[in-house]
């Protein structure tokens, strides 16, 4: 079964409030957690900086890093926003799942370098999203889970 994918611009157009909340959550801290799949199928987690630029969510990493090699072999990933200090998780808990597509186009890479100025050389991946989830507490009473998938409006679940 092939899952539908979208880029960040599609999410921002369809669900601007969720996209803004997710971007703010990722902007709160520099380092986040990326999960990739090893050759044997077991998960690998790694620290990573992410960027939201030009309607895309970008993942950049050192050359031949394990996470880059994992993504080249199997593009599926999960990305978890840094929860921050303490236990309050201001802004909620945010997770993104999808596929990473390595960018080789010199013009796209040049635009990224101009904006971000990463150390070179590096691997650059743009993301194709399959799911975005935000979990938060509302009114100190409800656990609210917002789930978005391409082509489907946000589903909101509330639990006490």
């Amino acid at each position: 079964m092939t899952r539908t994918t979208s880029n960040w611009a599609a999410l921002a157009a369809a669900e601007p409030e969720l996209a803004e909340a997710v971007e703010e959550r990722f902007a709160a801290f520099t380092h986040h957690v990326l999960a990739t799949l090893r050759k044997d199928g077991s998960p690998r987690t790694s620290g990573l900086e992410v960027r939201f630029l030009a309607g895309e969510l970008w993942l950049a990493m050192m050359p031949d890093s394990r996470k880059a090699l994992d993504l080249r072999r199997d593009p599926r990933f999960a990305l978890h926003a840094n929860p921050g200090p303490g236990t309050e998780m201001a802004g909620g808990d945010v997770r993104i799942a999808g596929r990473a597509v390595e960018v080789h186009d010199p013009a796209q890479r040049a635009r990224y370098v101009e904006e971000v100025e990463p150390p070179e050389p590096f691997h650059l991946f743009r993301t194709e999203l399959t799911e975005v989830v935000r979990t938060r507490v509302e009114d100190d009473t409800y656990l609210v889970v917002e789930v978005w998938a391409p082509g489907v409006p946000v589903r909101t679940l509330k639990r006490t």
Side-chain angles (χ1 to χ4, degrees):
M1 177 176 126
T2 302
R3 293 181 84 173
T4 301
T5 63
S6 283
N7 70 355
W8 190 258
L11 167 62
E15 301 291 345
E17 288 179 23
L18 177 62
E20 182 179 350
V22 170
E23 284 190 48
E24 286 175 4
R25 192 69 193 84
F26 276 96
F29 297 95
T30 302
H31 298 99
H32 306 286
V33 178
L34 176 72
T36 58
L37 296 170
R38 299 171 193 256
K39 196 180 295 187
D40 68 3
S42 63
R44 181 192 317 272
T45 57
S46 308
L48 182 74
E49 296 179 28
V50 301
R51 296 284 192 277
F52 295 89
L53 299 169
E56 300 284 358
L57 169 57
W58 300 95
L59 312 176
M61 51 205 72
M62 294 187 328
D64 297 325
S65 63
R66 295 289 181 198
K67 58 192 160 198
L69 298 176
D70 286 348
L71 290 172
R72 280 180 158 180
R73 185 179 51 260
D74 187 329
R76 293 175 292 171
F77 73 90
L79 180 63
H80 190 253
N82 185 328
T87 58
E88 69 178 61
M89 282 200 295
D93 179 60
V94 174
R95 297 176 310 278
I96 297 171
R99 288 193 288 275
V101 177
E102 190 161 13
V103 176
H104 299 285
D105 178 64
Q108 281 188 320
R109 290 179 63 85
R111 283 192 297 274
Y112 184 85
V113 167
E114 183 178 310
E115 185 74 30
V116 179
E117 298 180 6
E120 295 205 41
F122 67 99
H123 293 283
L124 180 63
F125 296 86
R126 68 174 180 76
T127 60
E128 296 179 346
L129 311 177
T130 57
E131 182 179 70
V132 175
V133 179
R134 179 179 180 225
T135 304
R136 59 190 168 80
V137 176
E138 185 176 284
D139 299 329
D140 290 325
T141 305
Y142 301 100
L143 181 67
V144 179
V145 181
E146 298 167 280
V147 180
W148 174 84
V152 181
V154 169
R155 232 175 356 122
T156 303
L157 311 161
K158 252 185 181 179
R159 301 184 185 142
T160 55

